[in-house]
Amino acid sequence: MKHYAGLDVSVKETSVCIVDENGKVCRERKVVSHPEDLITLLSDPQWRIEWIGLEAGPLSQWLFEGLAKVDLPVICIETRHTKAFLKAQP
């Protein structure tokens, strides 16, 4: 089964939500806002991560680079665009 992760980044902690392809929440967790901590969580073999959505912000470039270096499928998304997209869905 495919999984998708959303990262809500703040300076100290990042909230991670992993959902399956049906939209069921599989895991919600807070980790330290550091690439290594996120890699540990997202590289777990129980998750078949298709995409990781990383919120654009002050730490996003650093976190994006760290996740991309280990070949995690990460994209950086602007929060306002995501909200508009979700609002437009039926």
Side-chain angles (χ1 to χ4, degrees), residues 37-52:
D37 295 288
L38 292 167
I39 290 166
T40 299
L41 176 64
L42 297 168
S43 296
D44 188 324
Q46 72 177 315
W47 312 120
R48 296 190 54 197
I49 303 285
E50 289 289 311
W51 287 109
I52 300 165

Side-chain angles (χ1 to χ4, degrees), residues 1 11 39 72 78 80:
M1 180 170 287
V11 174
I39 290 166
L72 286 171
E78 170 57 45
R80 289 174 291 175

Side-chain angles (χ1 to χ4, degrees), residues 39 42-43 49-52 63-75:
I39 290 166
L42 297 168
S43 296
I49 303 285
E50 289 289 311
W51 287 109
I52 300 165
L63 294 175
F64 179 92
E65 183 179 316
L67 298 175
K69 276 185 180 178
V70 295
D71 295 324
L72 286 171
V74 62
I75 56 172

Side-chain angles (χ1 to χ4, degrees), residues 21-33:
E21 59 193 22
N22 298 317
K24 179 184 172 206
V25 175
C26 299
R27 172 171 259 176
E28 289 181 299
R29 187 165 172 205
K30 289 186 180 186
V31 297
V32 175
S33 292

